[in-house]
Amino acid sequence: MRCPYCRHADSRVVDSREADDGQLIRRRRSCPECGKRFTTHEEAVLAVVKRSGVTEPFSRIKIIGGVRKACQGRPVDEDSIALLAQKVEETVRAKGAAEIPSHDVGLAILGPLRDLDEVAYLRFASVYRSFDSLADFEREIETLRAAARARAGAAGADGDAGAAAGAAGRTN
Ligand SMILES: [Zn+2]
């Protein structure tokens, strides 16, 4: 491997160790020309199989691009999008397969995107799951409302308990 400092055509491996449970190999290299050291990573390429059958390497940048588009005009910052893409990559890599259908990558995005922003989620889901009628949107929105009600219900129950405890405290 070429030295990134002086561009010398060769380098020597001085140390090699596994990381991430053997999913990654990290090598420490030394340049015989300038003597500088640098690190390289080696990991299996995760291939994404598109519907056409064409494969391409998994790209976190692509995930970020797609999610950013869905989040246009929404109060979602770049850090959250980067974190979501990292989560998606971890999910798809955790399957341990060499290839993954692009459909499964989309599925891995839907969950975390719903937690991040419901409007962005609806935009993404409408394209990804090819909604073709208002009924599709209505069904999805009803699911989101039910989830929001469940969350509010849980929070409300806690709030009531707190208020009751407070009232009991005041009477004593
Ligand atoms: Zn060098």
Side-chain angles (χ1 to χ4, degrees):
M1 175 140 190
R2 190 180 284 276
C3 169
Y5 295 100
C6 73
R7 317 299 297 161
H8 182 67
D10 204 8
S11 59
R12 198 164 53 85
V13 175
V14 291
D15 185 36
S16 183
R17 59 186 63 185
E18 289 191 351
D20 277 0
D21 252 353
Q23 292 215 44
L24 188 75
I25 291 182
R26 201 165 274 148
R27 292 202 168 90
R28 200 73 185 130
R29 290 171 177 267
S30 161
C31 172
E33 185 66 23
C34 70
K36 288 204 165 121
R37 293 190 166 197
F38 57 98
T39 305
T40 56
H41 286 171
E42 181 180 317
E43 70 183 325
V45 170
L46 176 61
V48 175
V49 187
K50 300 206 275 192
R51 242 195 315 204
S52 61
V54 175
T55 64
E56 61 180 25
F58 175 87
S59 157
R60 206 191 280 195
I61 303 296
K62 262 200 158 158
I63 304 284
I64 290 174
V67 171
R68 187 187 287 139
K69 207 183 273 177
C71 290
Q72 241 165 40
R74 300 296 304 161
V76 175
D77 60 27
E78 279 295 309
D79 283 355
S80 308
I81 296 176
L83 207 64
L84 181 149
Q86 187 186 328
K87 225 186 269 178
V88 170
E89 178 163 3
E90 280 164 9
T91 305
V92 298
R93 282 196 185 275
K95 294 179 198 290
E99 289 189 339
I100 181 168
S102 57
H103 186 82
D104 290 9
V105 178
L107 279 182
I109 293 172
L110 283 174
L113 185 56
R114 188 173 48 209
D115 295 340
L116 190 62
D117 187 274
E118 289 176 341
V119 171
Y121 164 78
L122 271 180
R123 284 176 182 158
F124 191 88
S126 70
V127 175
Y128 174 73
R129 287 156 70 179
S130 32
F131 288 7
D132 53 16
S133 69
L134 282 177
D136 288 334
F137 279 95
E138 278 168 355
R139 199 179 327 108
E140 200 60 51
I141 288 169
E142 193 38 57
T143 307
L144 288 173
R145 287 223 172 97
R149 271 198 302 271
R151 278 198 304 273
D158 285 354
D160 290 348
R170 276 195 300 277
T171 56
N172 289 337

